[in-house]
């Protein structure tokens, strides 16, 4: 069974310009994910799915971390716009590489640990006959609302201890795992694929769940990494 890793790195971003390739402690944000992917020891191949000129040039010049151990997939330009969908670039990657299990690691979750990647893959393989997709998440039992409606507690009753509430699971997409064949077939049939039909939600720690979406997120991640021994 061939298990490969895909790390998507699109050139350009609006809220935090080029957030994938910014540097923290001398390493680009994406390099933390590359490092964790390789240290997990579960992949036959690790690919960077990218149109980033910086990443491609550093890779060619062996200046990118572990350049000798990773592969570059040049993403088609029509899948590099702000409107490009995860469904489409993952389908494109899956159809142009060879794998049985495809694991996407989010480069803007640089605090993700190798041990969590290894455990996620192990869990997915254990339940492969039941689930076609694994998505990482965080969870909370704090009171939640959607459009002013309570979703995990009864707002018409006296407030109960939060531990008695139903758990809300929030997808963070730090790790996503698919049965590759089913991913491809789902996209061909439905035109979308990444959410899967039968999902296994895999909880990771709040720290690992931090995703760089804005400058505040970047500053927080930078502070954590700067102070990490």
């Amino acid at each position: 069974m061939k298990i490969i890793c895909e790390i998507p790195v699109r050139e350009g971003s609006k809220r935090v310009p080029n957030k994938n390739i910014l540097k923290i402690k001398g390493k680009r944000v994406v390099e933390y994910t590359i490092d964790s992917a390789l240290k997990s020891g579960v992949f036959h191949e690790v690919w960077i799915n990218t149109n980033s000129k910086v990443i491609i040039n550093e890779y060619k010049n062996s200046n990118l971390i572990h350049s000798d151990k990773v592969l570059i997939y040049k993403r088609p330009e029509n899948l590099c716009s702000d409107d490009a969908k995860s469904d489409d670039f993952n389908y494109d990657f899956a159809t142009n590489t060879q794998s049985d299990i495809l694991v996407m690691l989010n480069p803007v979750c640089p605090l993700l640990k190798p041990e969590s990647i290894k455990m996620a893959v192990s869990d997915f393989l254990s339940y492969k006959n039941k689930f076609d997709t694994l998505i990482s998440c965080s969870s909370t039992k704090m009171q939640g609302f959607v459009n002013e409606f309570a979703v995990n507690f009864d707002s018409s009753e006296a407030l109960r201890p939060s531990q008695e509430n139903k758990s809300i699971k929030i997808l963070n997409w730090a790790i996503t795992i698919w049965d590759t064949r089913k991913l491809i077939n789902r996209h061909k049939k439905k035109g979308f694929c990444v959410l899967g039909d039968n999902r296994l939600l895999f909880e990771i720690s709040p720290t690992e769940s931090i995703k760089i979406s804005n400058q505040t997120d970047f500053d927080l991640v930078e502070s954590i990494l700067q102070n990490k021994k």
Side-chain angles (χ1 to χ4, degrees):
M1 179 177 293
K2 186 174 183 180
I3 305 172
I4 70 172
C5 173
E6 172 202 9
I7 303 173
V9 182
R10 184 175 68 87
E11 188 172 64
S13 58
K14 292 182 177 179
R15 287 175 290 183
V16 183
N18 293 312
K19 59 187 177 183
N20 294 309
I21 60 173
L22 293 178
K23 286 190 175 183
I24 300 176
K25 290 184 69 175
K27 286 172 61 175
R28 298 195 183 280
V29 169
V30 64
E31 291 182 306
Y32 286 92
T33 305
I34 294 170
D35 201 34
S36 290
L38 290 168
K39 286 180 178 178
S40 73
V42 297
F43 301 117
H44 294 89
E45 297 168 355
V46 174
W47 291 79
I48 306 171
N49 182 353
T50 188
N51 70 322
S52 169
K53 298 179 183 65
V54 171
I55 294 297
I56 292 171
N57 287 336
E58 289 197 353
Y59 176 81
K60 287 180 178 178
N61 295 322
S62 299
N63 292 324
L64 188 70
I65 191 170
H66 304 307
S67 288
D68 58 327
K69 297 178 182 177
V70 299
L71 300 163
I72 292 287
Y73 178 81
K74 292 185 179 180
R75 189 188 301 189
E77 284 304 316
N78 65 305
L79 297 176
C80 296
S81 69
D82 290 335
D83 298 325
K85 296 179 180 179
S86 179
D87 296 292
D88 297 332
F89 74 71
N90 280 294
Y91 171 74
D92 170 76
F93 179 82
T95 55
N96 286 289
T97 52
Q98 297 293 321
S99 69
D100 298 298
I101 304 296
L102 173 58
V103 181
M104 182 182 73
L105 299 182
N106 199 323
V108 292
C109 296
L111 302 178
L112 182 63
K113 297 177 181 179
E115 295 81 10
S116 295
I117 299 170
K118 185 175 182 179
M119 188 177 298
V121 171
S122 177
D123 280 8
F124 182 75
L125 293 178
S126 296
Y127 294 101
K128 187 175 178 295
N129 293 331
K130 184 177 180 181
F131 301 104
D132 55 62
T133 302
L134 177 148
I135 306 172
S136 63
C137 67
S138 57
S139 68
T140 181
K141 287 192 174 185
M142 295 304 296
Q143 296 79 9
F145 289 85
V146 174
N147 294 330
E148 305 305 321
F149 291 97
V151 295
N152 66 332
F153 71 105
D154 191 338
S155 59
S156 66
E157 297 179 347
L159 193 64
R160 302 167 69 179
S162 59
Q163 61 264 29
E164 295 181 12
N165 297 332
K166 294 180 180 178
S167 178
I168 299 175
K169 295 187 183 297
I170 303 169
L171 304 184
N172 52 53
W173 302 95
I175 309 169
T176 315
I177 307 178
W178 300 283
D179 178 304
T180 307
R181 179 182 58 81
K182 291 180 180 178
L183 174 83
I184 292 171
N185 290 340
R186 189 160 52 248
H187 194 282
K188 287 180 178 178
K189 182 179 179 180
K190 299 181 178 180
F192 55 88
C193 57
V194 296
L195 272 170
D197 292 319
N198 299 295
R199 290 170 292 279
L200 172 62
L201 300 186
F202 179 81
E203 189 170 346
I204 60 177
S205 70
T207 303
E208 292 178 277
S209 299
I210 299 173
K211 179 181 179 182
I212 300 175
S213 298
N214 52 49
Q215 188 62 47
T216 300
D217 298 328
F218 180 83
D219 293 342
L220 176 59
V221 168
E222 183 176 39
S223 177
I224 292 171
L225 289 173
Q226 290 285 10
N227 290 284
K228 186 177 180 181
K229 293 182 180 180

